[in-house]
Amino acid sequence: EDQVTQSPEALRLQEGESSSLNCSYTVSGLRGLFWYRQDPGKGPEFLFTLYSAGEEKEKERLKATLTKKESFLHITAPKPEDSATYLCAVTSGGSYIPTFGRGTSLIVHP
Amino acid sequence: KAGVTQTPRYLIKTRGQQVTLSCSPISGHRSVSWYQQTPGQGLQFLFEYFSETQRNKGNFPGRFSGRQFSNSRSEMNVSTLELGDSALYLCASSLVASGDLDNEQFFGPGTRLTVL
């Protein structure tokens, strides 16, 4: 059974204070690792898909990286509008059903 | 391009009733997946439909069912509602089926179901 653990559960940053969110996973043959952003009262918004260890993707202040056991979402010089819950999900070769982590709630103070 | 739409946005039902939720995917998308999101369990996969066929099903009781129409619109039905069914039900559409590369899912705003 695929497992996804995200840490920390909550993170408070000052504007401009860079940090990283962690997504640790246990799967039988990773097919894809997905990052989403979810704002209160809205559905998740797709950010990145990573497929193999060593892969990196960037979008504005966000950068996602992948190893064989975990993924990091690096946030550089965050702004208050980056405040949201960030979700990580995996699909594996054994099952195409995505397994989501519980998310990291990020608050960026001005 | 219009996003994923879900109706209704809010719904209040009582135990024992049944409910039908609707999802219209992004134009051209043939895959529709349904998820349940609760504070206690997080986001959990219910089922996926692709070209009117159910491809995958999560670990939910048979009270939860769905279908997809030829225009890719999908409905989800929950019969004999229980208090624990109170949740945000999210629909996501994708151009390709699950398991295919680049299966980027685009979520709708969700339907907030409250069971009293």
Side-chain angles (χ1 to χ4, degrees):
Chain A
E1 183 180 323
D2 297 347
Q3 293 186 338
V4 178
T5 303
Q6 292 188 246
S7 62
E9 289 186 14
L11 182 63
R12 292 177 180 270
L13 300 173
Q14 288 296 129
E15 184 171 3
E17 180 186 3
S18 301
S19 187
S20 296
L21 313 182
N22 178 265
C23 171
S24 297
Y25 62 90
T26 304
V27 298
S28 54
L30 180 71
R31 190 167 185 89
L33 185 142
F34 306 83
W35 282 99
Y36 293 88
R37 166 196 171 124
Q38 186 172 23
D39 293 298
K42 295 186 177 181
E45 174 189 344
F46 172 81
L47 293 173
F48 304 109
T49 307
L50 301 169
Y51 295 105
S52 57
E55 190 174 0
E56 301 181 350
K57 288 191 177 177
E58 289 188 68
K59 180 180 180 180
E60 296 180 357
R61 295 178 292 282
L62 301 176
K63 179 180 178 180
T65 62
L66 180 66
T67 72
K68 289 185 177 180
K69 294 182 178 181
E70 58 193 348
S71 176
F72 291 94
L73 185 65
H74 307 279
I75 304 177
T76 302
K79 298 181 178 182
E81 53 261 42
D82 294 323
S83 297
T85 295
Y86 290 86
L87 297 167
C88 169
V90 297
T91 55
S92 66
S95 169
Y96 296 149
I97 296 175
T99 299
F100 280 81
R102 300 301 296 274
T104 293
S105 174
L106 172 66
I107 297 176
V108 181
H109 297 283
Chain B
K1 173 157 91 167
V4 178
T5 58
Q6 292 187 245
T7 56
R9 292 294 312 280
Y10 301 91
L11 205 51
I12 299 176
K13 293 285 188 179
T14 57
R15 279 181 301 175
Q17 287 186 310
Q18 75 165 14
V19 66
T20 299
L21 311 181
S22 180
C23 171
S24 293
I26 292 172
S27 178
H29 285 195
R30 296 163 61 191
S31 171
V32 173
S33 297
W34 288 90
Y35 296 84
Q36 181 194 68
Q37 187 173 36
T38 61
Q41 299 297 322
L43 200 60
Q44 293 184 290
F45 174 85
L46 281 159
F47 29 66
E48 180 205 4
Y49 287 87
F50 183 83
S51 294
E52 302 179 65
T53 302
Q54 187 180 87
R55 281 177 59 92
N56 293 293
K57 189 177 190 301
N59 189 26
F60 279 83
R63 299 185 297 107
F64 292 82
S65 63
R67 60 178 175 169
Q68 186 180 34
F69 302 95
S70 58
N71 61 359
S72 293
R73 190 177 70 85
S74 177
E75 288 183 346
M76 189 192 93
N77 184 274
V78 187
S79 62
T80 318
L81 284 167
E82 300 177 359
L83 295 179
D85 296 333
S86 294
L88 179 67
Y89 289 89
L90 292 159
C91 163
S93 80
S94 176
L95 194 59
V96 299
S98 62
D100 292 342
L101 292 179
D102 298 323
N103 179 32
E104 300 175 8
Q105 293 195 320
F106 297 84
F107 283 81
T111 293
R112 173 72 63 184
L113 172 64
T114 302
V115 182
L116 303 176

